[in-house]
Amino acid sequence: MGINMKILNLMQCLNLGGMEQSAYILMRETHEKMITWQVQSITPGGVGKKIAANLNIPAKDNLYIGKFGWRSYFELKRKILEFIGDIILVTGPSLTSCLAIKGSSYKKVLGIHFCHGSSIKERLKWKLFYNFFGKDYDAIIYHSQYILEEAKQIAPYLEDKFHLVEYSTQHCSITSEKDKRTARQHLDIPTDKFIIGNAGWLIERKRFDIFLQVCAKISKSYPNVFYLIAGDGPMRQELEILARDLGIIDKVKFLGWQEVLHTFYQALDLVLFNSNSDAFGRTVMEAMGYGVPVVASVLEGGTDSVIIHKENGYLIPKHEIEQLAEYCLKLINEQDLYNKFQLASIETIRKRFSNDLYVQKYLEVFNDVLKAS
């Protein structure tokens, strides 16, 4: 298929979070095939700038000075005006980015990657956002059914612009014992223990404190376990102190950010995922794509789109330490159940959340937007 679109991806940042990883998948699968991409980050470039360079995609960043980046606004707008193409895709809305393209003659598509929140204050902010910016966009994409339904409640008058494009990941075969051992040797972790891990920003919302508390509970019943955390953030030091206070610091390794998570997932036996709010926990689906069973607690979000409780994993709506530890121990001790969840996880990703399907749905939105010219 020939190249037929030129799109500027206006991104909140160029880091390694779930929102950014999904953007990199879309660009990697389509660049110089169906789409010629350019990238503009509203904040200083992160690891994603290197990823874009490796894909031969021009990527610029911005300083983001002042509250909401207002002091960098005119420089950002100038850079955006240099774009010549067909569509501007806003990956993750921010006041700065939305204002910078307001009034632009290009077709505009907005990608919403996070929950709207349940409090009156949060919902009011989103209502104001949709009232002021909603009409600017030719399409608004939501990455889980959960946040799509939230948007319908907040801004029903925009529903004809709404599209559901759920996150995606690759599906693999179950990691062999040989490859698992090699991955663990590469990460310098024990090769003979049951490994439980999680990945993400070390921030309050992601509840790695719950992860560590559950790990401590598990260790009392099953000491032959090691715990692995991939990611970084402002709470790292606090979490390291908590691991020490819980008496498991010698059983936990903080890997920091991993540009490629292939080795991380190959090393794992189980993912324990906890979050206060996640539109669609990317770590969950990535783990399942490798056939790694998941035990999760999520207070609000669309994780139930991928985890079907007791069918392909465990998912509860509260951070109940005892219950989470019990589910982990069941998977440690019951091999038949573990095998069932492994196979069901891979099949879920293969059928509903493949990269091919994700790209196809995005292309359908882009084509529809251009046809409406």
Side-chain angles (χ1 to χ4, degrees), residues 55-215:
L55 293 171
N56 198 32
I57 296 174
K60 299 178 181 178
D61 56 7
N62 213 50
L63 291 177
Y64 202 74
I65 302 171
K67 191 171 184 179
F68 303 121
W70 73 270
R71 291 178 61 188
S72 307
Y73 166 79
F74 291 105
E75 177 66 12
L76 175 65
K77 191 170 182 68
R78 182 190 66 77
K79 291 174 181 175
I80 293 171
L81 288 172
E82 293 173 355
F83 170 67
I84 299 174
D86 302 298
I87 296 172
I88 297 177
L89 170 65
V90 178
T91 298
S94 70
L95 182 61
T96 308
S97 59
C98 292
L99 282 173
I101 65 169
K102 193 169 180 63
S104 168
S105 60
Y106 288 115
K107 295 291 184 179
K108 295 182 282 295
V109 177
L110 173 63
I112 306 285
H113 296 254
F114 30 76
C115 297
H116 296 80
S118 56
S119 72
I120 295 174
K121 182 179 179 180
E122 289 169 323
R123 289 297 175 99
L124 178 58
K125 284 182 179 178
W126 277 104
K127 184 176 278 293
L128 292 171
F129 173 86
Y130 284 120
N131 284 344
F132 188 69
F133 291 112
K135 63 180 181 296
D136 293 342
Y137 293 92
D138 300 277
I140 303 176
I141 292 174
Y142 297 90
H143 291 275
S144 77
Q145 188 67 44
Y146 183 91
I147 54 174
L148 174 60
E149 295 303 323
E150 286 184 326
K152 288 179 181 179
Q153 295 173 14
I154 297 168
Y157 52 90
L158 294 173
E159 191 171 338
D160 61 331
K161 298 185 178 188
F162 295 168
H163 300 265
L164 175 65
V165 182
E166 294 178 305
Y167 277 166
S168 70
T169 190
Q170 63 183 344
H171 60 276
C172 311
S173 56
I174 294 171
T175 304
S176 68
E177 288 303 316
K178 179 182 177 182
D179 287 343
K180 184 174 287 188
R181 178 175 290 272
T182 300
R184 292 178 176 186
Q185 289 172 342
H186 178 79
L187 295 174
D188 193 26
I189 60 174
T191 59
D192 59 346
K193 295 184 182 294
F194 193 93
I195 307 293
I196 298 176
N198 192 12
W201 284 100
L202 304 187
I203 56 178
E204 185 175 356
R205 175 173 63 86
K206 291 293 188 177
R207 297 313 301 265
F208 279 88
D209 58 323
I210 298 295
F211 174 87
L212 291 173
Q213 290 176 59
V214 176
C215 292

Side-chain angles (χ1 to χ4, degrees), residues 195-255:
I195 307 293
I196 298 176
N198 192 12
W201 284 100
L202 304 187
I203 56 178
E204 185 175 356
R205 175 173 63 86
K206 291 293 188 177
R207 297 313 301 265
F208 279 88
D209 58 323
I210 298 295
F211 174 87
L212 291 173
Q213 290 176 59
V214 176
C215 292
K217 190 73 176 176
I218 293 167
S219 290
K220 291 179 180 178
S221 300
Y222 193 91
N224 193 38
V225 184
F226 193 82
Y227 309 102
L228 202 56
I229 295 175
D232 214 332
M235 290 190 67
R236 177 163 178 168
Q237 185 176 10
E238 182 179 330
L239 291 167
E240 289 173 343
I241 292 171
L242 177 60
R244 187 174 297 111
D245 291 344
L246 291 168
I248 57 170
I249 190 62
D250 59 334
K251 295 185 174 186
V252 181
K253 183 167 185 176
F254 290 80
L255 291 174

Side-chain angles (χ1 to χ4, degrees), residues 190-331:
T191 59
D192 59 346
K193 295 184 182 294
F194 193 93
I195 307 293
I196 298 176
N198 192 12
W201 284 100
L202 304 187
I203 56 178
E204 185 175 356
R205 175 173 63 86
K206 291 293 188 177
R207 297 313 301 265
F208 279 88
D209 58 323
I210 298 295
F211 174 87
L212 291 173
Q213 290 176 59
V214 176
C215 292
K217 190 73 176 176
I218 293 167
S219 290
K220 291 179 180 178
S221 300
Y222 193 91
N224 193 38
V225 184
F226 193 82
Y227 309 102
L228 202 56
I229 295 175
D232 214 332
M235 290 190 67
R236 177 163 178 168
Q237 185 176 10
E238 182 179 330
L239 291 167
E240 289 173 343
I241 292 171
L242 177 60
R244 187 174 297 111
D245 291 344
L246 291 168
I248 57 170
I249 190 62
D250 59 334
K251 295 185 174 186
V252 181
K253 183 167 185 176
F254 290 80
L255 291 174
W257 282 118
Q258 302 293 296
E259 184 173 334
V260 178
L261 285 166
H262 177 71
T263 301
F264 171 75
Y265 288 117
Q266 282 197 318
L268 299 182
D269 293 305
L270 179 69
V271 159
L272 171 61
F273 180 85
N274 315 103
S275 176
N276 286 349
S277 175
D278 254 285
F280 201 121
R282 182 162 192 86
T283 299
V284 169
M285 66 173 352
E286 287 177 342
M288 291 173 67
Y290 281 84
V292 178
V294 178
V295 174
S297 60
V298 180
L299 303 191
E300 66 168 352
T303 306
D304 58 355
S305 291
V306 63
I307 297 183
I308 309 302
H309 185 54
K310 296 186 178 180
E311 291 187 18
N312 61 5
Y314 289 116
L315 173 63
I316 59 176
K318 295 181 180 180
H319 300 312
E320 297 179 353
I321 307 300
E322 296 278 351
Q323 185 69 80
L324 291 165
E326 181 182 324
Y327 284 143
C328 290
L329 288 166
K330 278 181 71 68
L331 287 166

